[in-house]
Amino acid sequence: MAEMPGDGSAQNSALERCLEVLRAAKNDSELFAALLLVTKCARAQELDDSTRYRIFDAVGFSFPNRLFFTKTTPDGCPEYLFRSLGLTLLACFCTDPSLASHPQVINKIPILNETLNISCQEDNNVLTSMVEDAYQCLVGILASTEGAKQLVSGGTLSSLCEAYLKQNHGWTHALRILTSLLTSQPDNCWKKSRNELQCLLVKLSEDFGTECGSHKFHLAEILPVFLPPSPLLLETSWGENCLRHLSKGLFLILSSKLSVAQRDPAFKLAACLSNVYGSSWIMIDGRGEKSKFLSLLVNLACVEVRMALEDPMPLDSRQATATACYALVEMGIQECTKEEGHPMLGDLQKLQLLQVMQEACAAVMYYLQQVGWEKIEDPFVLASVRLLGAWLAEETSCLRQGVIQLLPFLVHYMRTWFQRGVTCRKQLKEAPQMALLSSSWGAVWPGDAIRYQKNSGLLLPQRLCWPYTFNCCQLLHNKRCPTQLATGFLH
């Protein structure tokens, strides 16, 4: 909608006169003329709540409904004139959450979906304004209580995917709304629009692998949200193509000199892939390139862990990235212990990685020793204990003295979380997603420190050789650890 020239007071005065005309309108023709005047005076997002309600009181939903379903327009007028005005009204109403969730707005979702992909040139102001108003309506609906659910069930995902894939007018809005929908309703989205989301992920991955500008870093930030909730990518040819593009894009980012803000999203994307696929997602063409990329990932992750945990400054701002790096270090631990099949790493590469991973785990132990007792319920402490358990399950000789000093805390931590009971254990599936996709941890991290380890068996004696020294056995016995472990097995 066009803006009225002049200062704010003149614009407000003109708007008031238009609202008076609107309120006095006696038929659709007068309403239509008055609304055209209102749209000349202010944009929907510039109106305050009071003005929006005055417009709504004057026209209600019946008049916009008639605008949407009137098939003919006066001679010499644009084809979409009535729909355009209807969408402008709806966009105005949707800036208010209570109106955005109204059934008369929700039942317009099919019209909004259709409008997104109307073919229009950038210089066609009527059509481009229609599309922008449709996006504003969708954003308003999305912000309402059940908005995401309504959009998914209403088929909006397919229209948004089409808008992005065809790069139609407003495709950047489409990508933002898709990101929000997949963040809040991942399973429902993939169930409802799997084929469309597959095509979208292929396109996003290709863009990520080939893009060289700032958009590449934005894609790194949002791509974790677009990954399917199940390990689908290794089971299909299109999925493997996605992994090749993702590997290429991540390799280009992490092998370049970048700022923290540019590098962090790459760590988080790599961690999300590692959390689901281990190291199998790394698909770099060329002899030795896979092992080179894996070594680079783990080395950088270990450096990041040490910098985050040994820095005297508060850790809070780096927790999300450090947790992502934990997942990459754990992937390195698993890869270094592979002996069957075709290991990705050679013996010399394994030795080098073991050294840097040992230093990272020493930093984790230092951190737990310093703050672990004070932050039992901090989810980052659980993530730290998880990584330490993965390391100790495979490496039984290094860091022994530090482990012995840390044992009282580990036993206390295990017992504390085990005693939280069944309620905690029911929520464990959400923990990896919280760790990798969210920088807001929440008040309490649910977990059972006995069972939470993925293939690592934290504190289980048959997996750890180091407790069998006299000092360790005595300490564990004094802390009643055997009794606690036996209780854990029985549950």
Side-chain angles (χ1 to χ4, degrees):
M1 288 176 283
E3 270 191 70
M4 194 81 168
D7 60 27
S9 59
Q11 182 174 335
N12 290 337
S13 176
L15 181 59
E16 283 298 323
R17 290 196 298 272
C18 293
L19 290 172
E20 289 296 328
V21 174
L22 182 63
R23 195 162 40 247
K26 295 182 176 60
N27 53 50
D28 281 357
S29 296
E30 292 181 5
L31 274 175
F32 182 76
L35 284 169
L36 285 177
L37 290 175
V38 172
T39 62
K40 297 288 184 182
C41 292
R43 298 176 184 272
Q45 59 267 34
E46 295 171 351
L47 302 176
D48 57 28
D49 291 343
S50 172
T51 304
R52 279 194 293 270
Y53 274 107
R54 288 168 67 187
I55 296 173
F56 178 71
D57 288 341
V59 300
F61 282 114
S62 59
F63 181 64
N65 287 342
R66 292 196 294 277
L67 290 172
F68 283 126
F69 297 108
T70 299
K71 301 297 183 184
T72 59
T73 56
D75 292 341
C77 293
E79 178 185 357
Y80 292 102
L81 178 64
F82 290 147
R83 178 183 285 199
S84 175
L85 184 58
L87 284 168
T88 297
L89 281 171
L90 210 61
C92 175
F93 299 156
C94 284
T95 53
D96 183 275
S98 63
L99 293 178
S101 59
H102 194 284
Q104 287 287 349
V105 173
I106 300 302
N107 67 20
K108 302 300 185 301
I109 288 177
I111 295 175
L112 299 175
N113 296 344
E114 180 186 335
T115 305
L116 300 185
N117 291 298
I118 288 176
S119 178
C120 63
Q121 300 297 322
E122 292 297 326
D123 59 353
N124 189 325
N125 293 333
V126 173
L127 293 182
T128 55
S129 293
M130 276 178 57
V131 174
E132 288 166 6
D133 285 338
Y135 277 117
Q136 188 171 326
C137 292
L138 293 176
V139 170
I141 295 170
L142 182 61
S144 63
T145 307
E146 293 290 320
K149 186 176 178 181
Q150 297 286 358
L151 293 178
V152 172
S153 62
T156 303
L157 276 166
S158 299
S159 298
L160 291 170
C161 290
E162 182 182 349
Y164 181 82
L165 291 171
K166 293 182 177 179
Q167 300 285 282
N168 289 338
H169 180 78
W171 63 266
T172 54
H173 300 305
L175 190 59
R176 278 196 291 270
I177 297 172
L178 281 165
T179 303
S180 297
L181 287 174
L182 282 158
T183 300
S184 61
Q185 304 260 316
D187 293 330
N188 287 343
C189 287
W190 278 92
K191 183 178 179 180
K192 181 75 175 177
S193 304
R194 175 168 168 163
N195 292 336
E196 292 84 354
L197 288 174
Q198 283 180 198
C199 295
L200 179 65
L201 181 56
V202 169
K203 171 65 174 169
L204 290 173
S205 302
E206 289 175 354
D207 291 348
F208 181 64
T210 56
E211 179 70 40
C212 295
S214 60
H215 187 52
K216 187 183 196 75
F217 303 108
H218 176 62
L219 288 174
E221 190 171 344
I222 65 172
L223 267 165
V225 176
F226 289 87
L227 299 176
S230 59
L232 184 66
L233 298 183
L234 284 177
E235 300 168 1
T236 58
S237 57
W238 68 266
E240 290 188 358
N241 276 334
C242 287
L243 291 176
R244 286 190 183 90
H245 289 298
L246 294 174
S247 298
K248 178 184 175 183
L250 285 170
F251 184 70
L252 290 172
I253 288 177
L254 294 173
S255 58
S256 304
K257 241 182 187 179
L258 300 170
S259 66
V260 170
Q262 293 170 321
R263 190 181 64 235
D264 285 358
F267 280 134
K268 293 174 186 177
L269 174 56
C272 288
L273 291 166
S274 302
N275 196 50
V276 178
Y277 302 104
S279 61
S280 302
W281 65 271
I282 298 176
M283 295 188 179
I284 297 285
D285 297 329
R287 183 178 177 83
E289 292 300 305
K290 284 187 179 181
S291 59
K292 180 180 177 181
F293 182 32
L294 176 63
S295 297
L296 174 67
L297 263 178
V298 178
N299 269 288
L300 290 175
C302 289
V303 170
E304 182 65 32
V305 167
R306 289 188 60 189
M307 289 175 60
L309 299 184
E310 295 174 358
D311 194 328
M313 299 297 291
L315 176 66
D316 295 352
S317 63
R318 305 296 300 153
Q319 282 186 349
T321 302
T323 307
C325 291
Y326 281 178
L328 298 175
V329 176
E330 187 172 340
M331 176 184 69
I333 293 169
Q334 292 169 355
E335 196 60 36
C336 284
T337 56
K338 278 186 182 177
E339 296 179 358
E340 300 176 357
H342 301 282
M344 195 180 298
L345 298 171
D347 289 342
L348 288 177
Q349 288 173 311
K350 288 182 179 181
L351 286 173
Q352 189 272 330
L353 283 186
L354 285 171
Q355 178 60 39
V356 295
M357 289 190 296
Q358 178 181 326
E359 293 169 358
C361 290
V364 171
M365 291 171 57
Y366 172 80
Y367 170 77
L368 291 174
Q369 194 73 265
Q370 296 298 310
V371 304
W373 293 96
E374 304 165 8
K375 298 186 176 183
I376 293 292
E377 297 195 355
D378 188 333
F380 185 70
V381 170
L382 177 59
S384 302
V385 170
R386 171 192 169 110
L387 176 61
L388 186 59
W391 170 261
L392 294 176
E394 305 296 346
E395 175 50 63
T396 60
S397 57
C398 298
L399 308 175
R400 180 174 296 184
Q401 190 57 41
V403 171
I404 293 173
Q405 294 174 0
L406 194 60
L407 268 178
F409 166 74
L410 293 176
V411 173
H412 173 73
Y413 191 81
M414 174 184 68
R415 180 176 292 117
T416 298
W417 280 108
F418 180 76
Q419 289 172 350
R420 298 294 171 95
V422 177
T423 302
C424 291
R425 294 198 288 274
K426 283 182 178 177
Q427 301 177 54
L428 284 174
K429 292 180 181 178
E430 300 173 8
Q433 185 176 11
M434 289 170 64
L436 295 175
L437 300 184
S438 176
S439 59
S440 176
W441 298 100
V444 177
W445 180 287
D448 177 345
I450 295 180
R451 292 182 176 82
Y452 185 57
Q453 299 306 304
K454 182 174 70 175
N455 303 323
S456 65
L458 175 62
L459 297 181
L460 300 185
Q462 68 268 34
R463 296 293 298 279
L464 301 177
C465 298
W466 49 265
Y468 294 117
T469 65
F470 176 76
N471 288 341
C472 287
C473 287
Q474 188 176 39
L475 192 154
L476 291 172
H477 183 268
N478 291 341
K479 296 291 183 181
R480 301 178 61 195
C481 191
T483 304
Q484 185 65 57
L485 288 170
T487 305
F489 280 124
L490 292 175
H491 287 74

